[in-house]
Amino acid sequence: MAQVDPSQHQQPPHQQPFPGAYGQQPPPPAAEPYRSGLQGLGSEPEPEHHGRTEERRRSPHIPLIAAVVVGCAVVGLGAGALMSGGDDSGKDDKQPVASESMSAGEPSAQAADPAKPQAEALDKLLADSNNSRAAVIGAVEKIKRCDDLDQAADDLKGAAAQRRELVTRLEGISIDQLPAHEELSSSLKAAWKASAEADDHYAAWAGQAKRNHKKVCKGGTARSTDETGKAANSSGEATAAKKKASALWNSIAQKYGLTEREPVQL
């Protein structure tokens, strides 16, 4: 029998055994490479992996849906914040407007009348204008009786000085905001100057009575002289000016609640 070389029956080193030989199972299929959601949507599913294919087919939509839900939540929160902020800002805007309107209304309500303090200052001056009236009346009565002529003359001179002082004081205060202030000022000045001149003439009459006592005071009663005539004229001018000034002043006094005065009280 011919001898067989065992080395001739050895299989080649790289030849794989026949599938199924010696009970061997075929190797498992290679793992499918990972594909993203977008790639998965574009690829055809393999029929033999139907279950996993369906899962992969649904899985890409889950992140998308979640993203949409989160986005809606963010948008909703942002809109709520804007609406809330808009309401607050609206309230803030309205409050200053109301405050500004109140502030704007205050100055008009509390605005001071510039004429009022001037009227009050003039009222104080007029209160002193009648201080010498009683003294003048008393002095003239003494002269008529030819009694205490020196004192009568002094009282009349003092009254004349007081009238002129009123004119100076009037020039020192402002009454330019009062109605018809120029006419009122000129009337008061004319009245006081005329009254001062009348006092001077009465004082001169007292001097005549003292120097010519027998002639002027004949029978115990003073006779009229040229000085009494001048005094009467000046008194008439003073009375007319006082009437005009009184009418102008009383309209001002009524407006500001001050003392009204008759002509003889000026």
Side-chain angles (χ1 to χ4, degrees), residues 28-72:
E32 184 178 355
Y34 172 78
R35 290 175 293 183
S36 64
L38 294 177
Q39 292 175 345
L41 292 175
S43 61
E44 293 293 334
E46 295 182 1
E48 63 272 21
H49 303 292
H50 179 72
R52 289 188 296 172
T53 302
E54 291 296 330
E55 182 180 356
R56 288 197 301 271
R57 183 179 300 176
R58 292 192 302 269
S59 62
H61 296 280
I62 295 175
L64 181 60
I65 293 173
V68 172
V69 172
V70 172
C72 291

Short mmCIF file of all heavy atoms in Angstrom, two decimals, residues 28-72:
data_model
loop_
_atom_site.label_atom_id
_atom_site.label_comp_id
_atom_site.label_asym_id
_atom_site.label_seq_id
_atom_site.Cartn_x
_atom_site.Cartn_y
_atom_site.Cartn_z
N PRO A 28 -22.09 36.03 14.43
CA PRO A 28 -23.21 37.02 14.47
C PRO A 28 -22.96 38.15 13.53
O PRO A 28 -21.81 38.49 13.23
CB PRO A 28 -23.19 37.50 15.94
CG PRO A 28 -21.81 37.26 16.39
CD PRO A 28 -21.32 36.02 15.68
N PRO A 29 -24.01 38.73 13.04
CA PRO A 29 -23.83 39.86 12.10
C PRO A 29 -23.16 41.04 12.79
O PRO A 29 -23.31 41.24 13.98
CB PRO A 29 -25.26 40.22 11.67
CG PRO A 29 -26.13 39.73 12.78
CD PRO A 29 -25.46 38.51 13.32
N ALA A 30 -22.44 41.80 12.01
CA ALA A 30 -21.73 42.98 12.57
C ALA A 30 -22.73 44.00 13.08
O ALA A 30 -23.80 44.18 12.52
CB ALA A 30 -20.84 43.60 11.48
N ALA A 31 -22.34 44.65 14.19
CA ALA A 31 -23.24 45.65 14.80
C ALA A 31 -23.47 46.80 13.85
O ALA A 31 -22.54 47.28 13.19
CB ALA A 31 -22.64 46.16 16.11
N GLU A 32 -24.70 47.25 13.82
CA GLU A 32 -25.05 48.37 12.92
C GLU A 32 -24.48 49.67 13.45
O GLU A 32 -24.61 49.97 14.63
CB GLU A 32 -26.57 48.49 12.84
CG GLU A 32 -27.02 49.56 11.84
CD GLU A 32 -28.52 49.62 11.76
OE1 GLU A 32 -29.18 48.77 12.42
OE2 GLU A 32 -29.04 50.50 11.06
N PRO A 33 -23.82 50.45 12.64
CA PRO A 33 -23.22 51.71 13.13
C PRO A 33 -24.32 52.68 13.58
O PRO A 33 -25.41 52.68 13.06
CB PRO A 33 -22.48 52.26 11.91
CG PRO A 33 -23.15 51.63 10.73
CD PRO A 33 -23.59 50.25 11.19
N TYR A 34 -23.93 53.55 14.60
CA TYR A 34 -24.88 54.51 15.16
C TYR A 34 -25.19 55.59 14.15
O TYR A 34 -24.30 56.11 13.48
CB TYR A 34 -24.29 55.17 16.43
CG TYR A 34 -25.13 56.31 16.95
CD1 TYR A 34 -26.30 56.03 17.67
CD2 TYR A 34 -24.79 57.63 16.70
CE1 TYR A 34 -27.07 57.04 18.14
CE2 TYR A 34 -25.58 58.64 17.16
CZ TYR A 34 -26.73 58.34 17.89
OH TYR A 34 -27.50 59.37 18.36
N ARG A 35 -26.47 55.87 14.04
CA ARG A 35 -26.91 56.93 13.12
C ARG A 35 -27.77 57.94 13.89
O ARG A 35 -28.57 57.54 14.74
CB ARG A 35 -27.72 56.34 11.97
CG ARG A 35 -26.88 55.52 11.01
CD ARG A 35 -27.72 54.85 9.95
NE ARG A 35 -28.60 53.83 10.55
CZ ARG A 35 -29.41 53.04 9.84
NH1 ARG A 35 -29.46 53.16 8.51
NH2 ARG A 35 -30.16 52.14 10.42
N SER A 36 -27.55 59.21 13.61
CA SER A 36 -28.32 60.25 14.29
C SER A 36 -29.76 60.22 13.85
O SER A 36 -30.10 59.50 12.91
CB SER A 36 -27.71 61.64 13.99
OG SER A 36 -27.82 61.89 12.62
N GLY A 37 -30.56 61.07 14.55
CA GLY A 37 -31.98 61.08 14.23
C GLY A 37 -32.24 61.42 12.79
O GLY A 37 -33.06 60.84 12.12
N LEU A 38 -31.53 62.43 12.27
CA LEU A 38 -31.76 62.84 10.88
C LEU A 38 -31.30 61.77 9.92
O LEU A 38 -31.91 61.53 8.89
CB LEU A 38 -31.03 64.15 10.60
CG LEU A 38 -31.55 65.37 11.38
CD1 LEU A 38 -30.70 66.59 11.07
CD2 LEU A 38 -33.00 65.62 11.04
N GLN A 39 -30.15 61.11 10.23
CA GLN A 39 -29.67 60.03 9.36
C GLN A 39 -30.61 58.86 9.42
O GLN A 39 -30.87 58.20 8.43
CB GLN A 39 -28.27 59.62 9.79
CG GLN A 39 -27.22 60.71 9.54
CD GLN A 39 -25.87 60.32 10.09
OE1 GLN A 39 -25.80 59.38 10.89
NE2 GLN A 39 -24.84 61.02 9.67
N GLY A 40 -31.16 58.60 10.60
CA GLY A 40 -32.07 57.48 10.72
C GLY A 40 -33.32 57.67 9.91
O GLY A 40 -33.89 56.73 9.38
N LEU A 41 -33.79 58.93 9.83
CA LEU A 41 -34.98 59.19 9.06
C LEU A 41 -34.76 58.95 7.59
O LEU A 41 -35.66 58.58 6.86
CB LEU A 41 -35.46 60.63 9.29
CG LEU A 41 -35.98 60.93 10.70
CD1 LEU A 41 -36.29 62.42 10.81
CD2 LEU A 41 -37.20 60.09 11.00
N GLY A 42 -33.56 59.17 7.12
CA GLY A 42 -33.28 59.05 5.69
C GLY A 42 -32.89 57.65 5.26
O GLY A 42 -32.76 57.38 4.09
N SER A 43 -32.67 56.73 6.17
CA SER A 43 -32.21 55.38 5.81
C SER A 43 -33.37 54.40 5.82
O SER A 43 -34.35 54.61 6.50
CB SER A 43 -31.14 54.92 6.80
OG SER A 43 -31.67 54.88 8.09
N GLU A 44 -33.25 53.35 5.03
CA GLU A 44 -34.27 52.33 4.95
C GLU A 44 -34.11 51.37 6.10
O GLU A 44 -33.01 50.92 6.40
CB GLU A 44 -34.16 51.58 3.62
CG GLU A 44 -34.50 52.43 2.40
CD GLU A 44 -35.96 52.80 2.40
OE1 GLU A 44 -36.76 52.07 2.99
OE2 GLU A 44 -36.29 53.85 1.81
N PRO A 45 -35.16 50.97 6.78
CA PRO A 45 -35.06 49.99 7.87
C PRO A 45 -34.79 48.61 7.30
O PRO A 45 -35.21 48.28 6.19
CB PRO A 45 -36.42 50.09 8.54
CG PRO A 45 -37.35 50.57 7.48
CD PRO A 45 -36.54 51.46 6.58
N GLU A 46 -34.03 47.83 8.04
CA GLU A 46 -33.75 46.46 7.64
C GLU A 46 -34.88 45.58 8.09
O GLU A 46 -35.34 45.65 9.22
CB GLU A 46 -32.44 45.99 8.29
CG GLU A 46 -31.24 46.80 7.77
CD GLU A 46 -29.95 46.31 8.38
OE1 GLU A 46 -30.03 45.34 9.15
OE2 GLU A 46 -28.91 46.89 8.08
N PRO A 47 -35.39 44.71 7.25
CA PRO A 47 -36.55 43.92 7.59
C PRO A 47 -36.32 43.00 8.74
O PRO A 47 -37.24 42.76 9.52
CB PRO A 47 -36.85 43.16 6.31
CG PRO A 47 -35.60 43.19 5.52
CD PRO A 47 -34.91 44.45 5.88
N GLU A 48 -35.08 42.47 8.88
CA GLU A 48 -34.89 41.51 9.95
C GLU A 48 -34.82 42.17 11.30
O GLU A 48 -34.85 41.46 12.32
CB GLU A 48 -33.61 40.67 9.70
CG GLU A 48 -32.33 41.48 9.69
CD GLU A 48 -32.02 42.01 8.31
OE1 GLU A 48 -32.98 42.09 7.51
OE2 GLU A 48 -30.87 42.33 8.00
N HIS A 49 -34.70 43.51 11.42
CA HIS A 49 -34.66 44.20 12.71
C HIS A 49 -35.83 45.16 12.80
O HIS A 49 -35.69 46.34 13.03
CB HIS A 49 -33.34 44.98 12.86
CG HIS A 49 -32.11 44.12 12.72
ND1 HIS A 49 -31.80 43.17 13.66
CD2 HIS A 49 -31.18 44.06 11.74
CE1 HIS A 49 -30.68 42.55 13.27
NE2 HIS A 49 -30.31 43.07 12.10
N HIS A 50 -37.01 44.63 12.61
CA HIS A 50 -38.21 45.47 12.52
C HIS A 50 -38.48 46.21 13.82
O HIS A 50 -38.81 47.38 13.83
CB HIS A 50 -39.40 44.58 12.17
CG HIS A 50 -40.69 45.35 12.08
ND1 HIS A 50 -40.97 46.21 11.04
CD2 HIS A 50 -41.76 45.37 12.90
CE1 HIS A 50 -42.15 46.73 11.22
NE2 HIS A 50 -42.68 46.23 12.35
N GLY A 51 -38.34 45.54 14.97
CA GLY A 51 -38.63 46.16 16.26
C GLY A 51 -37.72 47.31 16.57
O GLY A 51 -38.13 48.38 16.95
N ARG A 52 -36.41 47.10 16.37
CA ARG A 52 -35.47 48.19 16.65
C ARG A 52 -35.61 49.32 15.65
O ARG A 52 -35.36 50.48 15.95
CB ARG A 52 -34.05 47.66 16.66
CG ARG A 52 -33.75 46.77 17.88
CD ARG A 52 -32.29 46.43 17.95
NE ARG A 52 -31.91 45.63 16.79
CZ ARG A 52 -30.63 45.32 16.52
NH1 ARG A 52 -29.66 45.74 17.30
NH2 ARG A 52 -30.33 44.60 15.46
N THR A 53 -36.00 48.99 14.45
CA THR A 53 -36.18 50.03 13.43
C THR A 53 -37.31 50.97 13.83
O THR A 53 -37.22 52.18 13.68
CB THR A 53 -36.46 49.41 12.08
OG1 THR A 53 -35.39 48.56 11.75
CG2 THR A 53 -36.60 50.49 11.01
N GLU A 54 -38.43 50.38 14.31
CA GLU A 54 -39.56 51.21 14.72
C GLU A 54 -39.17 52.10 15.88
O GLU A 54 -39.56 53.26 15.99
CB GLU A 54 -40.74 50.32 15.11
CG GLU A 54 -41.38 49.58 13.93
CD GLU A 54 -41.97 50.54 12.93
OE1 GLU A 54 -42.41 51.62 13.35
OE2 GLU A 54 -42.01 50.23 11.73
N GLU A 55 -38.34 51.56 16.82
CA GLU A 55 -37.91 52.37 17.98
C GLU A 55 -37.06 53.53 17.53
O GLU A 55 -37.19 54.65 18.00
CB GLU A 55 -37.16 51.47 18.94
CG GLU A 55 -36.71 52.22 20.19
CD GLU A 55 -35.98 51.29 21.14
OE1 GLU A 55 -35.89 50.09 20.85
OE2 GLU A 55 -35.51 51.80 22.19
N ARG A 56 -36.13 53.22 16.56
CA ARG A 56 -35.28 54.31 16.06
C ARG A 56 -36.09 55.34 15.28
O ARG A 56 -35.78 56.50 15.24
CB ARG A 56 -34.16 53.74 15.19
CG ARG A 56 -33.08 53.00 15.99
CD ARG A 56 -31.84 52.83 15.15
NE ARG A 56 -32.11 52.10 13.92
CZ ARG A 56 -32.04 50.75 13.81
NH1 ARG A 56 -31.72 50.02 14.86
NH2 ARG A 56 -32.28 50.15 12.67
N ARG A 57 -37.14 54.83 14.62
CA ARG A 57 -37.96 55.75 13.83
C ARG A 57 -38.70 56.74 14.74
O ARG A 57 -38.90 57.88 14.41
CB ARG A 57 -38.96 54.96 13.00
CG ARG A 57 -39.84 55.85 12.08
CD ARG A 57 -40.79 54.99 11.28
NE ARG A 57 -40.04 54.05 10.45
CZ ARG A 57 -40.65 53.11 9.68
NH1 ARG A 57 -41.96 52.99 9.70
NH2 ARG A 57 -39.92 52.28 8.95
N ARG A 58 -39.13 56.28 15.93
CA ARG A 58 -39.84 57.16 16.84
C ARG A 58 -38.90 58.04 17.69
O ARG A 58 -39.22 59.13 18.07
CB ARG A 58 -40.75 56.36 17.77
CG ARG A 58 -41.92 55.71 17.04
CD ARG A 58 -42.93 55.17 18.05
NE ARG A 58 -42.32 54.20 18.94
CZ ARG A 58 -42.29 52.88 18.70
NH1 ARG A 58 -42.84 52.40 17.58
NH2 ARG A 58 -41.74 52.04 19.56
N SER A 59 -37.75 57.54 18.01
CA SER A 59 -36.85 58.22 18.93
C SER A 59 -36.41 59.60 18.47
O SER A 59 -36.28 60.50 19.29
CB SER A 59 -35.62 57.35 19.22
OG SER A 59 -34.89 57.12 18.03
N PRO A 60 -36.16 59.89 17.19
CA PRO A 60 -35.74 61.25 16.81
C PRO A 60 -36.80 62.29 17.11
O PRO A 60 -36.50 63.45 17.31
CB PRO A 60 -35.50 61.14 15.31
CG PRO A 60 -35.22 59.72 15.07
CD PRO A 60 -36.07 58.96 16.04
N HIS A 61 -38.09 61.92 17.16
CA HIS A 61 -39.13 62.92 17.41
C HIS A 61 -39.22 63.31 18.87
O HIS A 61 -39.73 64.37 19.20
CB HIS A 61 -40.49 62.38 16.95
CG HIS A 61 -40.56 62.15 15.47
ND1 HIS A 61 -40.76 63.16 14.57
CD2 HIS A 61 -40.43 61.00 14.74
CE1 HIS A 61 -40.77 62.67 13.33
NE2 HIS A 61 -40.55 61.36 13.41
N ILE A 62 -38.76 62.47 19.75
CA ILE A 62 -38.86 62.75 21.18
C ILE A 62 -38.06 63.99 21.56
O ILE A 62 -38.58 64.91 22.20
CB ILE A 62 -38.44 61.52 22.01
CG1 ILE A 62 -39.44 60.38 21.76
CG2 ILE A 62 -38.37 61.87 23.49
CD1 ILE A 62 -39.05 59.08 22.42
N PRO A 63 -36.79 64.09 21.18
CA PRO A 63 -36.05 65.34 21.50
C PRO A 63 -36.68 66.57 20.87
O PRO A 63 -36.69 67.64 21.44
CB PRO A 63 -34.65 65.08 20.95
CG PRO A 63 -34.56 63.60 20.85
CD PRO A 63 -35.92 63.10 20.54
N LEU A 64 -37.22 66.38 19.65
CA LEU A 64 -37.83 67.53 18.99
C LEU A 64 -39.06 68.03 19.73
O LEU A 64 -39.26 69.22 19.94
CB LEU A 64 -38.19 67.14 17.55
CG LEU A 64 -38.82 68.27 16.69
CD1 LEU A 64 -37.86 69.43 16.59
CD2 LEU A 64 -39.18 67.71 15.32
N ILE A 65 -39.89 67.08 20.16
CA ILE A 65 -41.10 67.45 20.91
C ILE A 65 -40.72 68.12 22.24
O ILE A 65 -41.30 69.12 22.67
CB ILE A 65 -41.98 66.22 21.16
CG1 ILE A 65 -42.52 65.71 19.81
CG2 ILE A 65 -43.12 66.55 22.11
CD1 ILE A 65 -43.26 64.40 19.91
N ALA A 66 -39.71 67.54 22.90
CA ALA A 66 -39.27 68.12 24.17
C ALA A 66 -38.77 69.54 23.99
O ALA A 66 -39.03 70.44 24.79
CB ALA A 66 -38.17 67.24 24.79
N ALA A 67 -38.04 69.73 22.88
CA ALA A 67 -37.53 71.08 22.62
C ALA A 67 -38.66 72.07 22.40
O ALA A 67 -38.62 73.20 22.85
CB ALA A 67 -36.59 71.06 21.40
N VAL A 68 -39.70 71.60 21.68
CA VAL A 68 -40.84 72.48 21.43
C VAL A 68 -41.55 72.84 22.73
O VAL A 68 -41.91 73.99 22.98
CB VAL A 68 -41.82 71.82 20.45
CG1 VAL A 68 -43.11 72.64 20.34
CG2 VAL A 68 -41.18 71.68 19.08
N VAL A 69 -41.72 71.84 23.61
CA VAL A 69 -42.39 72.08 24.89
C VAL A 69 -41.59 73.07 25.73
O VAL A 69 -42.12 74.02 26.30
CB VAL A 69 -42.58 70.75 25.66
CG1 VAL A 69 -43.10 71.03 27.06
CG2 VAL A 69 -43.55 69.85 24.91
N VAL A 70 -40.28 72.86 25.81
CA VAL A 70 -39.43 73.77 26.58
C VAL A 70 -39.48 75.18 26.00
O VAL A 70 -39.55 76.18 26.70
CB VAL A 70 -37.99 73.24 26.63
CG1 VAL A 70 -37.07 74.27 27.27
CG2 VAL A 70 -37.94 71.93 27.40
N GLY A 71 -39.45 75.23 24.66
CA GLY A 71 -39.49 76.55 24.01
C GLY A 71 -40.78 77.29 24.32
O GLY A 71 -40.79 78.48 24.59
N CYS A 72 -41.90 76.54 24.27
CA CYS A 72 -43.18 77.17 24.60
C CYS A 72 -43.21 77.66 26.04
O CYS A 72 -43.74 78.74 26.33
CB CYS A 72 -44.33 76.18 24.36
SG CYS A 72 -44.60 75.78 22.61
#
